[in-house]
Amino acid sequence: MTALATSDASLPCDTGAAGAEQDVAAAPRADCIADSAGGLTFDVTDPGGTGTAHLLLRRRDAASADEDVRLPLSPAVDGRLRAALPSSVELAEGRWNAYALVDGGPPRRLAPGVNDLRSLVDRAPSGARGHIAVRIPYATKQGNLSVRSWLRAPHAEIGELRIAGTSVTVQGRVYGTAVTGAGYAEASRRAEPDRIVRSELTADGVEFSFVLHCGALADDGPGPWDLWLRPVGESGPRIRLARLLDDVPDKKPIFTYPSVRLETAAHGALDAGPYYTNDNDLSVRIREADVIED
């Protein structure tokens, strides 16, 4: 972890609902500006107190407070305090709750102000670092500020999906590695990870595409399949396909795709279609026809 990360075992650990009892209306608020390199700037209203102030980021499911990241809050304009999270400070993948912490006082959950995420739209990093870092601030269901973080090395970014008949054409771009003639895509049945269905790649530099035939997945019956890229074949990395390079922290309810109907000999009528998981990874759902998802 970068030197800005420090820990304080006395701070309470948050869960998804932690801080819900705090008066959100009275909480200090933070406006966030994202830059195209993966950095964030926080402008925070006065959290009160007279001690040294920090913005604290704590990962929800962290094993200990050793992962905590403290960012100094310095005077800015209009009586606000500013903290910067540069792209060089690594954040493990996950959801990070944001607090204002003043020496001598308890940490206070921050409320979201205005998020300027324009630089994240259609973002196309160079890939020169061998990884991509994504941080997207968002409001939780309780009205608190959190940051969704991804750190992938290498990374396969999904672009357009096209559904025709019972097939899905997937287009994407790889970062941090190359695509060779030995590359291919694979679907892995989540309940049986060793059950693999391969798809041939069409590649042009770092761009790639492939056609996934849903019928080959449906033969195994209902259940999700996760999609991976093998850009140089079995000898190289296995990269989870995902869509991360934009301003949408949770794609599952936003990016929805139609299902296709398949008739199978062993399992009857099934519906198949792509979807994004809670981590914005790309998968294919196979389920009994006309089943309504919870």
Side-chain angles (χ1 to χ4, degrees):
M1 180 63 69
T2 307
L4 287 176
T6 61
S7 65
D8 187 337
S10 66
L11 294 177
C13 287
D14 254 10
T15 63
E21 296 180 358
Q22 174 179 301
D23 184 356
V24 175
R29 306 186 75 81
D31 294 339
C32 298
I33 301 175
D35 65 49
S36 59
L40 291 175
T41 300
F42 302 85
D43 284 341
V44 181
T45 57
D46 187 358
T50 58
T52 303
H54 289 83
L55 187 143
L56 172 74
L57 295 174
R58 166 162 286 181
R59 192 165 66 88
R60 289 185 191 168
D61 298 323
S64 73
D66 291 340
E67 292 187 37
D68 289 356
V69 174
R70 286 197 197 190
L71 307 170
L73 281 166
S74 303
V77 297
D78 300 328
R80 295 192 170 208
L81 300 175
R82 175 169 293 176
L85 175 67
S87 59
S88 58
V89 175
E90 293 185 1
L91 289 183
E93 288 206 16
R95 298 177 188 270
W96 294 73
N97 295 329
Y99 303 83
L101 179 63
V102 179
D103 288 352
R108 300 180 64 192
R109 280 294 255 130
L110 289 172
V114 176
N115 289 336
D116 184 350
L117 308 181
R118 289 174 292 179
S119 66
L120 302 183
V121 178
D122 298 325
R123 180 183 170 210
S126 66
R129 294 183 178 180
H131 70 268
I132 62 101
V134 178
R135 293 84 175 265
I136 305 178
Y138 70 98
T140 69
K141 293 179 180 179
Q142 292 77 35
N144 298 313
L145 176 66
S146 290
V147 175
R148 186 69 172 92
S149 174
W150 290 268
L151 186 64
R152 300 275 172 106
H155 171 58
E157 176 74 5
I158 295 302
E160 184 179 5
L161 298 180
R162 295 199 308 270
I163 299 173
T166 60
S167 299
V168 180
T169 299
V170 180
Q171 295 180 332
R173 178 186 178 96
V174 68
Y175 293 88
T177 188
V179 181
T180 71
Y184 57 87
E186 63 182 31
S188 171
R189 184 171 168 84
R190 194 175 298 169
E192 304 171 79
D194 293 334
R195 174 74 174 105
I196 301 293
V197 174
R198 292 187 180 184
S199 298
E200 293 185 2
L201 281 184
T202 298
D204 182 8
V206 295
E207 308 286 339
F208 65 87
S209 67
F210 64 92
V211 178
L212 179 68
H213 299 286
C214 295
L217 311 184
D219 288 341
D220 286 280
W225 293 70
D226 298 325
L227 301 185
W228 303 79
L229 183 71
R230 290 276 200 174
V232 299
E234 291 186 1
S235 62
R238 185 177 189 242
I239 310 171
R240 189 72 165 91
L241 293 169
R243 182 165 181 160
L244 307 178
L245 298 175
D246 57 27
D247 60 343
V248 182
D250 293 293
K251 297 191 172 53
K252 189 173 183 179
I254 304 299
F255 290 81
T256 59
Y257 301 94
S259 297
V260 298
R261 179 63 51 84
L262 298 160
E263 295 292 339
T264 67
H267 304 284
L270 298 175
D271 287 337
Y275 75 101
Y276 286 103
T277 70
N278 291 331
D279 289 325
N280 291 356
D281 297 325
L282 184 63
S283 295
V284 173
R285 181 187 291 112
I286 309 291
R287 59 189 177 189
E288 294 180 4
D290 300 322
V291 169
I292 299 176
E293 186 184 26
D294 294 336

